[in-house]
Amino acid sequence: MVVELEFQQKTKALIDSLKSICANYGLGNDGNEFKIITQTFLYKFLNDKFAYEAKKINPTLASAESWEAVLAAMSENDLEMMQLQMGGDTARLKPQHFISHLFSQQNTADFAKLFDDTLLDIAISNNDVFAVKTDGGAKVVLFERLSQYIADDSKRDAFCRAIINKLVDFSFERIFTQKFDFYATIFEYLIKDYNSNSGGKYAEYFTPHAVARIMAEILVPRTTRSNVRNVSVYDPSAGSGTLLMNVAHAIGENRCSIYTQDISQKSSSLLRLNLILNNLVHSIPNVVQGNTISHPYHKDGSALKRFDYIVSNPPFKLDFSDFRDELDSKENKQRFFAGIPKVKPKATDKMEIYQLFLQHIIHSLKPGGKAAVVVPTGFITAQSGIDKGIRQYLVEHKMLAGVVSMPSNIFATTGTNVSILFMDAGNKDKVVLIDASSLGEKIKDGKNQRTVLTPAEEQRIVDTFNTKEDVEDFSVAVSYEEIEAKNYSLSAGQYFDVKIEYVDITQAEFTEKMQGFTSNLESLFGQSRKLEVEIKKQFAGLKYE
């Protein structure tokens, strides 16, 4: 724990230093600042991970005053043999790739070119393992020429020197055996400044950890985890991969393969970094940048690939009118079984794209597979249209696990109330509906207000769901027939019993109460009769003038 806290602080300090460097060279809050910081951080991580693995294999390196010098003196054959013994999640580096080598060369002419060339050579050497591909087949490599973002050529060498001087200060080596919450903390801190200002441009990549943890704990209960292996986990709108990371950690990184698609290039780069930080390098070839709705990439032959687990926090509103018509085709009839949202009359009105993602997810689920999807709470009660059609399909095919209606403002970046829809193609029994809307504590998050669940509240939701427990005014387990009778509503409140309280009293107490009620009524009736007489008297006195 002490090591973890120490390196959290050192890492945050490194990220802050890199932001300061960018600001000093005119890139503060610039769109390219994010690329520079994430790629620099990745270079540091790959360098130190290589050192950690090399020292485990060769004890001589571990005891050397300068492990880089000892490694540089090794023959090409010895170096190749050592790298073959390293795990697949360790980048293949040469002595000239090390941070220490660039640090020693920082006063040479054209240092920016040497710095950029080094990163590009690492990218080329590791392209087969670490490159993300687009749905068109192009590969997005690990690194770009970072100095290109400095407009003034004369300042590029100094900019790269400033970066390499920050990277040499400490090593990550001691934390590679730590638990993954450490990496989650780093990652959240890394993107927090790009996730502000009412959503900001990186809001789409960020799902609250409470939501991600609840989804993972329900999809993969602790009591059954030891039986889960060799499974596929898919997110068709992956963002930075927060949901995927939580499910992968619940299953075990070496017992699952991640598959993703996301239209955003920034998102795919973030996700790649997250996979590398979380020992999921083997899944990088399955990370695809592209439009899941119009051009789903992952297939088995001509059919969509089916997955064991699917998680998603899809966009709720998006104008996709530019490619809507191409979705309305014969091959998409089965995938979009409940329909395709119509183009709104006003150009400013956005379309319910989550309805397409939901249908795509249902169609991509294996028999017996499980899914968890964040939806607007309005979806669970809509009485007509595509929303109701999807719910009806889930009930008729008996592939629901339940719904958790979350507190308002669980996402700081949106005022939309959300629920988590859980699907289970193997559940033919009771469906769990939970109303967690009253839980959580309101806190300020920048300019926004956010609701934060306590660990105990998270656990209460998870335990209640997994045990299918009925809790007054909180949860209910209902049959598919009951849901059909309620017009396919998935709102827990509509199934709660109306409680009538009964109090045990004696015969004498009952008689006394009844006499009291009778006396009160007679008094009220008497007053009423007097009022009637008075009203008639007043009316009789009215005259026309």
mmCIF file of all heavy atoms in Angstrom, residues 399-424:
data_model
loop_
_atom_site.group_PDB
_atom_site.id
_atom_site.type_symbol
_atom_site.label_atom_id
_atom_site.label_comp_id
_atom_site.label_asym_id
_atom_site.label_seq_id
_atom_site.Cartn_x
_atom_site.Cartn_y
_atom_site.Cartn_z
ATOM 1 N N MET A 399 -34.505 -13.048 -22.119
ATOM 2 C CA MET A 399 -33.063 -12.777 -22.045
ATOM 3 C C MET A 399 -32.760 -11.533 -21.209
ATOM 4 O O MET A 399 -31.817 -10.795 -21.469
ATOM 5 C CB MET A 399 -32.455 -12.652 -23.450
ATOM 6 C CG MET A 399 -33.135 -11.689 -24.380
ATOM 7 S SD MET A 399 -32.497 -11.785 -26.086
ATOM 8 C CE MET A 399 -30.750 -11.478 -25.860
ATOM 9 N N LEU A 400 -33.590 -11.325 -20.168
ATOM 10 C CA LEU A 400 -33.358 -10.233 -19.231
ATOM 11 C C LEU A 400 -32.772 -10.756 -17.932
ATOM 12 O O LEU A 400 -33.117 -11.853 -17.484
ATOM 13 C CB LEU A 400 -34.673 -9.532 -18.903
ATOM 14 C CG LEU A 400 -35.103 -8.365 -19.785
ATOM 15 C CD1 LEU A 400 -36.522 -7.954 -19.431
ATOM 16 C CD2 LEU A 400 -34.161 -7.186 -19.640
ATOM 17 N N ALA A 401 -31.902 -9.978 -17.311
ATOM 18 C CA ALA A 401 -31.459 -10.262 -15.941
ATOM 19 C C ALA A 401 -32.071 -9.245 -14.993
ATOM 20 O O ALA A 401 -32.493 -9.588 -13.897
ATOM 21 C CB ALA A 401 -29.943 -10.230 -15.845
ATOM 22 N N GLY A 402 -32.139 -7.967 -15.430
ATOM 23 C CA GLY A 402 -32.752 -6.962 -14.588
ATOM 24 C C GLY A 402 -32.338 -5.550 -14.953
ATOM 25 O O GLY A 402 -31.670 -5.318 -15.966
ATOM 26 N N VAL A 403 -32.736 -4.614 -14.121
ATOM 27 C CA VAL A 403 -32.449 -3.192 -14.327
ATOM 28 C C VAL A 403 -32.102 -2.564 -12.983
ATOM 29 O O VAL A 403 -32.739 -2.867 -11.966
ATOM 30 C CB VAL A 403 -33.658 -2.456 -14.947
ATOM 31 C CG1 VAL A 403 -33.459 -0.945 -14.909
ATOM 32 C CG2 VAL A 403 -33.884 -2.911 -16.387
ATOM 33 N N VAL A 404 -31.103 -1.687 -12.972
ATOM 34 C CA VAL A 404 -30.804 -0.859 -11.795
ATOM 35 C C VAL A 404 -30.976 0.599 -12.219
ATOM 36 O O VAL A 404 -30.257 1.084 -13.091
ATOM 37 C CB VAL A 404 -29.369 -1.082 -11.278
ATOM 38 C CG1 VAL A 404 -29.092 -0.153 -10.103
ATOM 39 C CG2 VAL A 404 -29.152 -2.532 -10.885
ATOM 40 N N SER A 405 -31.959 1.285 -11.626
ATOM 41 C CA SER A 405 -32.163 2.709 -11.892
ATOM 42 C C SER A 405 -31.252 3.502 -10.960
ATOM 43 O O SER A 405 -31.388 3.429 -9.739
ATOM 44 C CB SER A 405 -33.626 3.090 -11.678
ATOM 45 O OG SER A 405 -34.447 2.418 -12.612
ATOM 46 N N MET A 406 -30.322 4.244 -11.546
ATOM 47 C CA MET A 406 -29.292 4.931 -10.773
ATOM 48 C C MET A 406 -29.756 6.298 -10.288
ATOM 49 O O MET A 406 -30.727 6.863 -10.796
ATOM 50 C CB MET A 406 -28.036 5.088 -11.640
ATOM 51 C CG MET A 406 -27.446 3.761 -12.143
ATOM 52 S SD MET A 406 -26.891 2.689 -10.809
ATOM 53 C CE MET A 406 -25.406 3.541 -10.296
ATOM 54 N N PRO A 407 -29.037 6.871 -9.295
ATOM 55 C CA PRO A 407 -29.353 8.232 -8.835
ATOM 56 C C PRO A 407 -29.122 9.245 -9.951
ATOM 57 O O PRO A 407 -28.326 9.001 -10.873
ATOM 58 C CB PRO A 407 -28.373 8.462 -7.679
ATOM 59 C CG PRO A 407 -27.860 7.106 -7.304
ATOM 60 C CD PRO A 407 -27.919 6.279 -8.535
ATOM 61 N N SER A 408 -29.801 10.376 -9.875
ATOM 62 C CA SER A 408 -29.555 11.443 -10.841
ATOM 63 C C SER A 408 -28.132 11.961 -10.674
ATOM 64 O O SER A 408 -27.545 11.885 -9.599
ATOM 65 C CB SER A 408 -30.556 12.583 -10.648
ATOM 66 O OG SER A 408 -30.445 13.121 -9.346
ATOM 67 N N ASN A 409 -27.563 12.475 -11.758
ATOM 68 C CA ASN A 409 -26.220 13.066 -11.755
ATOM 69 C C ASN A 409 -25.121 12.086 -11.350
ATOM 70 O O ASN A 409 -24.089 12.492 -10.818
ATOM 71 C CB ASN A 409 -26.152 14.307 -10.855
ATOM 72 C CG ASN A 409 -27.098 15.402 -11.294
ATOM 73 O OD1 ASN A 409 -28.039 15.733 -10.592
ATOM 74 N ND2 ASN A 409 -26.881 15.943 -12.475
ATOM 75 N N ILE A 410 -25.332 10.801 -11.595
ATOM 76 C CA ILE A 410 -24.253 9.835 -11.361
ATOM 77 C C ILE A 410 -23.120 10.102 -12.359
ATOM 78 O O ILE A 410 -21.966 9.856 -12.106
ATOM 79 C CB ILE A 410 -24.772 8.379 -11.456
ATOM 80 C CG1 ILE A 410 -23.793 7.404 -10.821
ATOM 81 C CG2 ILE A 410 -25.069 7.986 -12.883
ATOM 82 C CD1 ILE A 410 -23.802 7.375 -9.328
ATOM 83 N N PHE A 411 -23.496 10.648 -13.532
ATOM 84 C CA PHE A 411 -22.541 11.174 -14.497
ATOM 85 C C PHE A 411 -22.515 12.688 -14.306
ATOM 86 O O PHE A 411 -23.551 13.341 -14.453
ATOM 87 C CB PHE A 411 -22.966 10.878 -15.935
ATOM 88 C CG PHE A 411 -22.820 9.439 -16.343
ATOM 89 C CD1 PHE A 411 -23.705 8.480 -15.892
ATOM 90 C CD2 PHE A 411 -21.809 9.045 -17.195
ATOM 91 C CE1 PHE A 411 -23.590 7.159 -16.267
ATOM 92 C CE2 PHE A 411 -21.678 7.721 -17.579
ATOM 93 C CZ PHE A 411 -22.559 6.775 -17.123
ATOM 94 N N ALA A 412 -21.359 13.232 -13.995
ATOM 95 C CA ALA A 412 -21.265 14.681 -13.761
ATOM 96 C C ALA A 412 -21.483 15.465 -15.043
ATOM 97 O O ALA A 412 -21.812 16.640 -15.015
ATOM 98 C CB ALA A 412 -19.898 15.031 -13.173
ATOM 99 N N THR A 413 -21.298 14.813 -16.191
ATOM 100 C CA THR A 413 -21.309 15.526 -17.464
ATOM 101 C C THR A 413 -22.664 15.538 -18.139
ATOM 102 O O THR A 413 -22.810 16.100 -19.205
ATOM 103 C CB THR A 413 -20.285 14.885 -18.425
ATOM 104 O OG1 THR A 413 -20.606 13.495 -18.558
ATOM 105 C CG2 THR A 413 -18.888 15.045 -17.894
ATOM 106 N N THR A 414 -23.667 14.912 -17.550
ATOM 107 C CA THR A 414 -24.993 14.910 -18.162
ATOM 108 C C THR A 414 -26.062 14.925 -17.084
ATOM 109 O O THR A 414 -25.913 14.306 -16.036
ATOM 110 C CB THR A 414 -25.193 13.677 -19.072
ATOM 111 O OG1 THR A 414 -26.547 13.678 -19.544
ATOM 112 C CG2 THR A 414 -24.925 12.379 -18.337
ATOM 113 N N GLY A 415 -27.147 15.658 -17.353
ATOM 114 C CA GLY A 415 -28.264 15.681 -16.422
ATOM 115 C C GLY A 415 -29.252 14.555 -16.663
ATOM 116 O O GLY A 415 -30.240 14.427 -15.944
ATOM 117 N N THR A 416 -29.013 13.750 -17.674
ATOM 118 C CA THR A 416 -29.924 12.654 -17.998
ATOM 119 C C THR A 416 -29.877 11.580 -16.912
ATOM 120 O O THR A 416 -28.799 11.131 -16.528
ATOM 121 C CB THR A 416 -29.530 12.011 -19.352
ATOM 122 O OG1 THR A 416 -29.506 13.020 -20.357
ATOM 123 C CG2 THR A 416 -30.525 10.931 -19.742
ATOM 124 N N ASN A 417 -31.048 11.174 -16.431
ATOM 125 C CA ASN A 417 -31.110 10.055 -15.489
ATOM 126 C C ASN A 417 -30.828 8.765 -16.242
ATOM 127 O O ASN A 417 -31.353 8.555 -17.338
ATOM 128 C CB ASN A 417 -32.489 9.982 -14.824
ATOM 129 C CG ASN A 417 -32.699 11.099 -13.822
ATOM 130 O OD1 ASN A 417 -31.747 11.738 -13.384
ATOM 131 N ND2 ASN A 417 -33.931 11.338 -13.457
ATOM 132 N N VAL A 418 -30.013 7.904 -15.640
ATOM 133 C CA VAL A 418 -29.620 6.689 -16.338
ATOM 134 C C VAL A 418 -29.981 5.448 -15.522
ATOM 135 O O VAL A 418 -30.109 5.499 -14.301
ATOM 136 C CB VAL A 418 -28.111 6.671 -16.661
ATOM 137 C CG1 VAL A 418 -27.718 7.885 -17.492
ATOM 138 C CG2 VAL A 418 -27.269 6.583 -15.393
ATOM 139 N N SER A 419 -30.140 4.370 -16.239
ATOM 140 C CA SER A 419 -30.323 3.050 -15.635
ATOM 141 C C SER A 419 -29.345 2.091 -16.290
ATOM 142 O O SER A 419 -28.848 2.360 -17.391
ATOM 143 C CB SER A 419 -31.762 2.555 -15.843
ATOM 144 O OG SER A 419 -32.685 3.364 -15.149
ATOM 145 N N ILE A 420 -29.073 0.994 -15.608
ATOM 146 C CA ILE A 420 -28.217 -0.043 -16.198
ATOM 147 C C ILE A 420 -29.103 -1.233 -16.532
ATOM 148 O O ILE A 420 -29.761 -1.796 -15.653
ATOM 149 C CB ILE A 420 -27.100 -0.483 -15.248
ATOM 150 C CG1 ILE A 420 -26.325 0.721 -14.705
ATOM 151 C CG2 ILE A 420 -26.141 -1.431 -15.967
ATOM 152 C CD1 ILE A 420 -25.316 0.368 -13.621
ATOM 153 N N LEU A 421 -29.148 -1.568 -17.805
ATOM 154 C CA LEU A 421 -29.938 -2.695 -18.287
ATOM 155 C C LEU A 421 -29.041 -3.927 -18.355
ATOM 156 O O LEU A 421 -28.008 -3.908 -19.015
ATOM 157 C CB LEU A 421 -30.490 -2.376 -19.677
ATOM 158 C CG LEU A 421 -31.223 -3.505 -20.419
ATOM 159 C CD1 LEU A 421 -32.547 -3.826 -19.736
ATOM 160 C CD2 LEU A 421 -31.451 -3.122 -21.878
ATOM 161 N N PHE A 422 -29.414 -4.979 -17.635
ATOM 162 C CA PHE A 422 -28.647 -6.223 -17.628
ATOM 163 C C PHE A 422 -29.394 -7.290 -18.426
ATOM 164 O O PHE A 422 -30.578 -7.538 -18.179
ATOM 165 C CB PHE A 422 -28.431 -6.728 -16.188
ATOM 166 C CG PHE A 422 -27.491 -5.871 -15.389
ATOM 167 C CD1 PHE A 422 -27.968 -4.816 -14.628
ATOM 168 C CD2 PHE A 422 -26.124 -6.112 -15.415
ATOM 169 C CE1 PHE A 422 -27.110 -4.022 -13.889
ATOM 170 C CE2 PHE A 422 -25.249 -5.321 -14.681
ATOM 171 C CZ PHE A 422 -25.742 -4.267 -13.915
ATOM 172 N N MET A 423 -28.692 -7.876 -19.366
ATOM 173 C CA MET A 423 -29.259 -8.954 -20.169
ATOM 174 C C MET A 423 -28.560 -10.266 -19.843
ATOM 175 O O MET A 423 -27.364 -10.280 -19.547
ATOM 176 C CB MET A 423 -29.121 -8.651 -21.659
ATOM 177 C CG MET A 423 -29.903 -7.444 -22.133
ATOM 178 S SD MET A 423 -29.564 -7.096 -23.863
ATOM 179 C CE MET A 423 -28.849 -5.459 -23.754
ATOM 180 N N ASP A 424 -29.299 -11.341 -19.886
ATOM 181 C CA ASP A 424 -28.748 -12.673 -19.650
ATOM 182 C C ASP A 424 -29.553 -13.654 -20.494
ATOM 183 O O ASP A 424 -30.693 -13.977 -20.159
ATOM 184 C CB ASP A 424 -28.827 -13.032 -18.170
ATOM 185 C CG ASP A 424 -28.182 -14.381 -17.858
ATOM 186 O OD1 ASP A 424 -27.870 -15.126 -18.811
ATOM 187 O OD2 ASP A 424 -28.000 -14.695 -16.672
#
